Amino acid sequence: MKRIYPLLLLLTFSNFTHAEPIKLASENSLPPAPDFEVIKVNTHGQPYRCEGNAMIKNSQGVTNLTTLKYFGTSISIDIYDKDSSHYNNALCNALNVIQEYHYLASNYSTYPHVINIKSINNEPDKTHHIDPKLTQLIKASIDWHDKTDGYFNIALSPVIDIWRSYRAQCKGERKAEDQCTIPTPAELNAARPLINIDNIDLNVKQNTIKLQTGMSIDLGGIAKGWMAEMVYQQLRSDGIKNFMINAGGNIRHHGIHPQGRQFTTAVEDPVCKKHNNSLEQCQSFEGQFHEVITGKDITVVSSGNYLRYYRVKGKEYHHIINPKTLYPKRTGISTTIVMNDNQIYADIISTALFLMPLEQALNYTNQNTAVEAIWYLNSAGEKVESDKFNDYRMIF
């Protein structure tokens, strides 16, 4: 499942410099792997309160909301409309949408006001009555299992939990001395019978769900992108005409930039991001950002292995697990997609295209007019792109 939140930046730059020749980092200069951490939300009995859960400010004609409390990442909304009389109300409504889907989709915490994924996972063999919004989210997830040839599987959660527990233990002295370990094949294979998506009993009419004993589900590969699209719809229903959403790297926008042009998104070079831009090749704009994308009313999402991983005996094991092998994919660094329709499924497609063999992923993309993609293959910066990705590439 996808739990990657790469940073994509909205550009207002007017001048660019040329990139220096790439000089690759040696194995000895690899940065330390990031520690595993879980962000939990304390609602203080007021789950949908706006004040104190986000910052809203206006600067140079842009009104911004930023929150760090939900989905384990930073979420920001920028509004560019000239009439700011109803901004605060619209942004609080948008925050309420973020909060609602955070509570419903969380597999880390339960909340007294809602039955969520954690509630279901705690008692999988019990019939749970759930919110229709969660029913819709789970139903879409089940449908997309077959649409992605099984590369998107919310029932993979028991395997994800095994890998997550090993990564969580890789810290402190154990991490410093390279004493971390990975799950055994026997441990992973023991969980394989629990990842059959057909054993999710979802009743869409009654809004009930029941799982096989020992199963659990994880919506990390759909919930954030789904939420971003629901925020998009809420902003439009509140009359906001020009805005940009950055949900931890899920970029969604509508309207036009105040400069009268389309919005522009720069995609960070994953090797530079992994090294905190400390490498020589990362000292220019072209080094730090490997693509600049522009388009009208589009979504830009990346999946990759360079932000959430741990290292064992010199090898890196990232958080995106292949449902077919039960191991992280060993090849490729990142996949970035651009979608011009059905954006609510962007997270799913991004994850699936990262996991699929490259030829299969290319065929899938080239046969679907709503999505284009580019694959960043290795530390040398080699890339492959779909047939019409160049339609969204900004040319300087």
Side-chain angles (χ1 to χ4, degrees):
M1 296 298 177
K2 181 161 86 77
R3 284 194 173 278
I4 191 77
Y5 308 114
L7 180 64
L8 293 88
L9 297 181
L10 183 70
L11 295 184
T12 55
F13 302 109
S14 57
N15 297 307
F16 303 95
T17 57
H18 294 287
E20 297 296 327
I22 291 179
K23 297 182 181 179
L24 299 178
S26 68
E27 289 294 321
N28 294 330
S29 64
L30 287 174
D35 287 333
F36 176 82
E37 59 179 318
V38 175
I39 298 175
K40 295 186 177 182
V41 176
N42 187 338
T43 68
H44 299 290
Q46 296 178 291
Y48 299 108
R49 188 165 67 95
C50 188
E51 184 181 357
N53 288 318
M55 291 181 57
I56 298 177
K57 62 181 181 180
N58 187 286
S59 177
Q60 298 180 334
V62 180
T63 301
N64 168 269
L65 176 146
T66 298
T67 179
L68 304 174
K69 289 192 173 185
Y70 307 101
F71 288 87
T73 189
S74 169
I75 301 172
S76 67
I77 302 169
D78 290 321
I79 296 178
Y80 299 90
D81 292 2
K82 294 181 179 180
D83 178 13
S84 61
S85 59
H86 62 300
Y87 280 3
N88 280 19
N89 184 62
L91 287 171
C92 282
N93 288 341
L95 179 62
N96 290 163
V97 174
I98 295 169
Q99 292 166 327
E100 182 174 36
Y101 281 96
H102 172 90
Y103 300 137
L104 287 173
S106 176
N107 66 340
Y108 288 113
S109 301
T110 59
Y111 298 95
H113 69 284
V114 68
I115 300 296
N116 67 359
I117 295 301
K118 180 64 172 174
S119 308
I120 297 166
N121 291 344
N122 284 347
E123 298 179 282
D125 50 1
K126 173 184 174 182
T127 298
H128 298 269
H129 292 267
I130 58 176
D131 189 299
K133 294 184 179 68
L134 186 55
T135 299
Q136 186 182 24
L137 190 50
I138 296 172
K139 176 63 166 59
S141 300
I142 294 171
D143 291 344
W144 274 87
H145 175 268
D146 290 344
K147 292 178 182 180
T148 59
D149 189 27
Y151 282 100
F152 179 75
N153 185 356
I154 62 170
L156 189 63
S157 180
V159 174
I160 294 173
D161 286 343
I162 292 171
W163 279 100
R164 188 176 287 154
S165 68
Y166 276 83
R167 182 180 162 211
Q169 296 170 29
C170 187
K171 58 184 178 181
E173 185 176 336
R174 186 171 185 170
K175 174 179 173 181
E177 296 181 359
D178 197 12
Q179 297 298 313
C180 301
T181 57
I182 65 171
T184 65
E187 192 174 6
L188 294 173
N189 285 328
R192 192 180 286 277
L194 302 175
I195 67 171
N196 185 347
I197 202 163
D198 292 334
N199 291 328
I200 299 176
D201 182 7
L202 180 70
N203 188 318
V204 296
K205 293 183 178 180
Q206 299 297 323
N207 293 305
T208 62
I209 186 171
K210 182 179 180 180
L211 310 178
Q212 176 186 311
T213 301
M215 285 185 72
S216 59
I217 55 180
D218 187 318
L219 299 184
I222 181 174
K224 187 156 63 75
W226 189 283
M227 171 274 294
E229 191 66 14
M230 293 301 178
V231 170
Y232 170 94
Q233 293 177 17
Q234 181 64 53
L235 289 168
R236 293 199 64 187
S237 71
D238 281 334
I240 306 301
K241 297 178 180 178
N242 305 286
F243 60 86
M244 192 276 293
I245 303 164
N246 185 342
N250 287 52
I251 303 297
R252 183 73 169 104
H253 54 68
H254 184 260
I256 60 172
H257 190 275
Q259 296 176 354
R261 57 172 173 80
Q262 295 179 148
F263 288 106
T264 306
T265 302
V267 185
E268 285 191 308
D269 182 289
V271 174
C272 287
K273 179 62 178 176
K274 183 174 183 176
H275 290 264
N276 294 314
N277 294 322
S278 62
L279 303 178
E280 187 174 346
Q281 73 257 28
C282 308
Q283 303 312 304
S284 66
F285 177 86
E286 291 89 339
Q288 290 184 28
F289 303 97
H290 77 95
E291 292 291 339
V292 180
I293 295 169
T294 188
K296 184 178 180 180
D297 199 22
I298 60 173
T299 288
V300 183
V301 180
S302 290
S303 293
N305 62 17
Y306 53 97
L307 287 181
R308 297 192 175 193
Y309 62 91
Y310 75 112
R311 199 173 284 122
V312 178
K313 303 295 185 289
K315 293 185 178 180
E316 292 176 358
Y317 297 86
H318 60 83
H319 70 294
I320 310 178
I321 309 302
N322 186 335
K324 299 179 185 293
T325 67
L326 309 187
Y327 284 83
K329 184 180 178 182
R330 297 300 302 170
T331 59
I333 295 180
S334 71
T335 302
T336 297
I337 70 166
V338 184
M339 290 194 69
N340 59 34
D341 192 17
N342 287 321
Q343 284 97 336
I344 201 164
Y345 305 121
D347 268 3
I348 296 174
I349 294 171
S350 177
T351 301
L353 293 182
F354 177 79
L355 287 172
M356 285 178 183
L358 183 58
E359 184 177 357
Q360 182 181 0
L362 271 168
N363 287 338
Y364 178 96
T365 307
N366 289 331
Q367 292 171 12
N368 288 271
T369 58
V371 59
E372 299 298 331
I374 187 164
W375 290 263
Y376 195 111
L377 300 178
N378 52 45
S379 59
E382 294 179 298
K383 297 187 287 187
V384 171
E385 64 191 57
S386 59
D387 289 346
K388 296 183 178 180
F389 180 83
N390 196 54
D391 291 351
Y392 295 100
R393 179 180 280 124
M394 189 170 184
I395 306 299
F396 300 106

